[in-house]
Amino acid sequence: MKAIRVHEFGGPEVMQLDELPIPVPAADEILLKVYASSVNPADYIIRQGGNELLRPLLKLPMGLGLDAAGIVEATGSDVTNFKKGDKVYGVPNFPGDGSYAEYLAARANQFTRMPNNITFNEAGALPSCALIAWNAIIDLGNIQAGQKVLVHGAAGGVGNLAVQFAKARGAYVIGTASAHNFDFLKELGADEVIDYNTQDFAQELQNIDLIFNASPVRDPGVRLRSASIIKQGGIFVCSHLDSPFSDEIKAAFLEKNATCTLVGGGSISYTSSLEGTTELIEAGKVRAVVSKVYPLAAVAAAHKDSETKHVRGKLVIEIRKEN
């Protein structure tokens, strides 16, 4: 089978299309015939050698790719929840073998049933971003109907799903984005959109129940200004796991008796998050946003596009054509 492998850390050029044996699933694993994956910031961070959190986990040579959507080709002896032919999606083996591959073997509990009303390319755009957005809006934010939600980076892969999840829960949703994404976010259900290039959200808003920073840009100023507009007892969630909160930022939220936290906490399980996403998609309340599709051989171009940090929705890697 063909798979992208990294034998040294560096730029997009270090990704090689290697020929590897098809893996054999262990007792608790499935063998997935992969149809689609997508590009996430973690992919190029890993390709470059990782950050402080990821670096100790990386061993060369290694694969890349978080998201996978495809068809179950075989199941291990202990797997009872899937059978050959099932369409599934998930975030397998992170970090490790990667999903930029024609086949992969991974634990069955890393997958759930794919929505029955979308394509593999759309499904490949969803899993990792859906997990993060669900964790922020549902698990940690516990958003309720009528509450106000602000999503920074609302047009991105995580942000657009956060907007949709919050709207599905009946919230009043505000997003920050560049002007050319205004109509797009309104179509997704945003009630207000603020242009981060020309407007200061801290001057426009107040008493926000939940603020979720889903932007790929690390800017401590966004955290501080968010503290100034959060409601007493509100919740601030940030997706930047590699950027702990400073004492100054913690103090700013404490003044409002507000919680500031990083994604990754909460009580809902991994599969519950994806099952919830599947339900919302099948109900027509959430949709996958694919901005561009690249073949596996063009993954370097997809990474270059992703590193601009101005992608609407997701860049999909089409591993094989859907019939």
Side-chain angles (χ1 to χ4, degrees), residues 247-259:
D247 290 341
E248 179 187 15
I249 289 169
K250 289 178 183 177
F253 283 103
L254 188 60
E255 283 185 16
K256 295 287 193 73
N257 195 31
T259 301

Side-chain angles (χ1 to χ4, degrees), residues 216-228:
V217 179
R218 272 65 173 161
D219 182 358
V222 169
R223 291 176 169 182
L224 275 176
R225 300 205 309 282
S226 293
S228 72

Side-chain angles (χ1 to χ4, degrees), residues 5 204 231 244-245 259 267 270 282 288:
R5 302 285 280 178
E204 304 280 344
K231 188 176 182 179
F245 295 107
T259 301
S267 60
Y270 177 102
E282 290 182 345

